[in-house]
Amino acid sequence: MVYAKRNGVCGICGKIIVGSYHVDHIKPISQGGAEWSLDNLQVLHPECHSIKTSTLDKGRAIKGCTADGVPLHRAGGGLKSRAFEADARA
């Protein structure tokens, strides 16, 4: 259901997900995000999810992915979750 709602687009890098994916809370439950609301769930490439988790744990911005869908590992940039940005504008 989450994959279909998000049209198979990774909430971090914006690329279509082909193959395995992770379902992620846009706003963490620990910060008051709804645990089961589809509006608070997004799909992510496994690599993007790992980066999101590690950067949020360290209090840094999410860097995103290259045009090929490969997560960025170098400094600079600062891409928030695309789904979160869309929800914040609503």
Side-chain angles (χ1 to χ4, degrees):
M1 285 176 59
V2 179
Y3 186 90
K5 178 176 175 65
R6 300 296 180 186
N7 298 312
V9 175
C10 177
I12 298 297
C13 70
K15 304 291 180 194
I16 297 291
I17 298 172
V18 178
S20 65
Y21 61 90
H22 291 180
V23 175
D24 174 63
H25 292 96
I26 297 167
K27 182 174 183 180
I29 297 168
S30 63
Q31 295 177 8
E35 186 171 2
W36 299 110
S37 170
L38 287 177
D39 291 333
N40 192 40
L41 297 173
Q42 63 184 344
V43 292
L44 305 177
H45 291 106
E47 297 85 5
C48 291
H49 190 220
S50 294
I51 289 172
K52 177 187 176 192
T53 301
S54 67
T55 55
L56 289 179
D57 287 346
K58 295 176 184 172
R60 297 184 310 207
I62 300 165
K63 295 177 184 66
C65 297
T66 67
D68 298 326
V70 177
L72 295 173
H73 296 286
R74 55 188 177 276
L79 177 67
K80 293 181 184 175
S81 166
R82 293 176 187 275
F84 182 75
E85 287 176 352
D87 291 344
R89 282 184 252 139

